[in-house]
Amino acid sequence: MQAPQRTHWRGVAVAFLAGVAAATALSKAAPAAIDLRESLDLTLTQIGWVMSAGTLATFALGVASGQLSHWRGARRLLRDGLLVLIAAGLASALAPATGWLLAGRGLEGFGVVLITVAAPTLIASLSRREDMGLSMGVWALWMPVGSVLMLGLAPWLLAGYGWRGLWGVSAIAALAVLLLLPGLPSDVGRPSGGRLDLRPLRTAGPWVLALAFFCFSSQFFSVFTFLPTYLTHTLGISAATATRACALVPLAIIPGNLLGGVLVHRGWRPSTLLVAPALPLLVVLPAMLLPTHSPGVMYALLTLYGLLLGIIPTGIFTQAPLLAPTPAATGPILGLALTGQGLGILVGPPLVGALLERTGSWLWPVLLLGTALVGLVVCAARLRQARVPVPSAH
């Protein structure tokens, strides 16, 4: 299918909402951390694994999901992912012990990876090339918008239903989006047929993009997972207040995402959107986590952290279709990139949790996460030199 003559914004909105549903499933472990620790007697390392287990499928099946998007069609894959989220969310809400919960999180991760490959692939097919920066900027909002919704609902849900209420609501969100799928255009997201074009994966660009996603996700999800616990200890505030304060990060990510989309639309290279925020983040991250601040200063740093961070995923998602010779080839590239994202979330939170338990300080985690930001700068330099395969004649 050739790039459309005009962007189908309604279809973009439906695909985006599917991502929001996936984000509510992925982000609920952070506000639930304190309740999980008390009700299931979990350690910080185990809480890190609760967050990471939701992305195990992303790491293991990222590239394969790109192939599924090609063979099964992005439209059907989106529906499949929503159905998995519904089933896994309801099953996890009934988990009597840690093992069951982790298994349910793994199944949720499978639904998340299906959606996060299918949705941007659909968006790429629904967007004019001139609008790609804006539409991918909209897609990049999936995680912060879903996180804000979950963090906003969490204090009420935790007070009334405990952590199980968060799991149930994420399943209901997926069900609501499932009912909107008829709003997608019928002529996009169909199985492509023929052989899957894996030539883009034989070049360095997609692999560098996956490494960039690894660097981004490992540091963001590590901070986000333990931020509520950190704020309660350092500021002496309640768990509910800490959860609301954490919402400042995804709230600030939203204008960062949009700013990134506008900058790409105005001619900025996607790789520049990795460098420009990563350099100041090398200062903001230690300033936020190492000294002791008043609540006002901490909230300002959280906002600045989120704003800068939000620019990065727009650059990553906008870069993916630019590395593809055709819109259909975007799926495998996104699948590989999501493998990098999944690996980052898989190793980041448990490793940071273990360092915090062993040292009792954020110094070593900050040094580790700062290295990830340096990695983003290196990846950006390599992406500037990336080559795109020439489309096949057939």
Side-chain angles (χ1 to χ4, degrees):
M1 177 182 173
Q2 299 297 319
Q5 297 300 311
R6 67 179 185 89
T7 300
H8 193 289
W9 290 109
R10 183 182 176 187
V12 170
V14 173
F16 163 71
L17 289 174
V20 171
T24 63
L26 193 59
S27 64
K28 62 194 174 190
I34 296 174
D35 193 67
L36 282 169
R37 192 175 187 182
E38 293 176 354
S39 60
L40 296 181
D41 195 26
L42 302 184
T43 66
L44 289 176
T45 303
Q46 288 175 319
I47 290 172
W49 280 114
V50 171
M51 170 63 82
S52 295
T55 59
L56 181 62
T58 306
F59 166 61
L61 303 172
V63 176
S65 65
Q67 296 177 0
L68 283 172
S69 178
H70 177 82
W71 291 325
R72 183 160 176 76
R75 186 189 183 96
R76 290 179 180 174
L77 206 65
L78 195 68
R79 181 197 64 191
D80 295 344
L82 291 168
L83 289 171
V84 171
L85 283 187
I86 294 168
L90 293 177
S92 297
L94 303 175
T98 306
W100 186 331
L101 177 61
L102 290 174
R105 287 291 281 169
L107 185 58
E108 280 184 323
F110 180 60
V112 169
V113 72
L114 295 184
I115 291 171
T116 51
V117 167
T121 301
L122 275 173
I123 289 173
S125 300
L126 291 166
S127 303
R128 293 190 312 153
R129 200 160 187 87
E130 294 83 358
D131 291 334
M132 194 68 72
L134 289 177
S135 59
M136 285 300 174
V138 170
W139 165 246
L141 295 171
W142 71 279
M143 188 66 200
V145 170
S147 299
V148 167
L149 289 174
M150 184 53 70
L151 288 170
L153 291 171
W156 172 69
L157 290 171
L158 289 170
Y161 306 98
W163 65 268
R164 300 178 194 275
L166 273 65
W167 264 250
V169 164
S170 68
I172 293 171
L175 176 61
V177 179
L178 185 67
L179 301 177
L180 297 176
L181 289 190
L184 287 172
S186 59
D187 59 340
V188 297
R190 294 178 176 178
S192 300
R195 294 182 58 188
L196 179 64
D197 188 1
L198 293 178
R199 284 175 304 143
L201 303 190
R202 298 171 190 157
T203 61
W207 296 91
V208 176
L209 193 67
L211 180 58
F213 222 160
F214 168 84
C215 294
F216 168 80
S217 63
S218 62
Q219 71 87 29
F220 168 59
F221 282 95
S222 295
V223 172
F224 192 68
T225 297
F226 298 104
L227 196 54
T229 304
Y230 173 78
L231 293 178
T232 58
H233 289 166
T234 58
L235 299 183
I237 57 180
S238 67
T241 303
T243 298
R244 294 187 185 97
C246 289
L248 289 171
V249 176
L251 274 173
I253 285 176
I254 292 173
N257 287 154
L258 295 174
L259 175 60
V262 170
L263 292 176
V264 171
H265 193 63
R266 293 186 175 182
W268 284 45
R269 289 185 176 185
S271 57
T272 304
L273 301 189
L274 306 186
V275 175
L279 293 176
L281 279 170
L282 284 168
V283 177
V284 173
L285 184 65
M288 183 176 72
L289 295 175
L290 295 182
T292 301
H293 300 294
S294 66
V297 172
M298 175 58 75
Y299 298 158
L301 287 170
L302 289 173
T303 302
L304 180 59
Y305 174 72
L307 180 65
L308 292 170
L309 204 71
I311 300 172
I312 297 172
T314 301
I316 293 174
F317 284 116
T318 305
Q319 184 73 60
L322 298 181
L323 294 172
T326 63
T330 303
I333 295 174
L334 284 170
L336 182 62
L338 289 170
T339 296
Q341 179 197 37
L343 181 60
I345 306 174
L346 185 65
V347 303
L351 183 56
V352 167
L355 286 173
L356 288 172
E357 283 189 327
R358 183 176 293 269
T359 66
S361 168
W362 271 92
L363 176 60
W364 287 106
V366 165
L367 290 174
L368 178 67
L369 302 176
T371 303
L373 293 171
V374 173
L376 273 173
V377 176
V378 175
C379 290
R382 293 298 305 272
L383 285 171
R384 285 178 176 269
Q385 306 167 3
R387 295 180 299 170
V388 181
V390 178
S392 301
H394 62 283

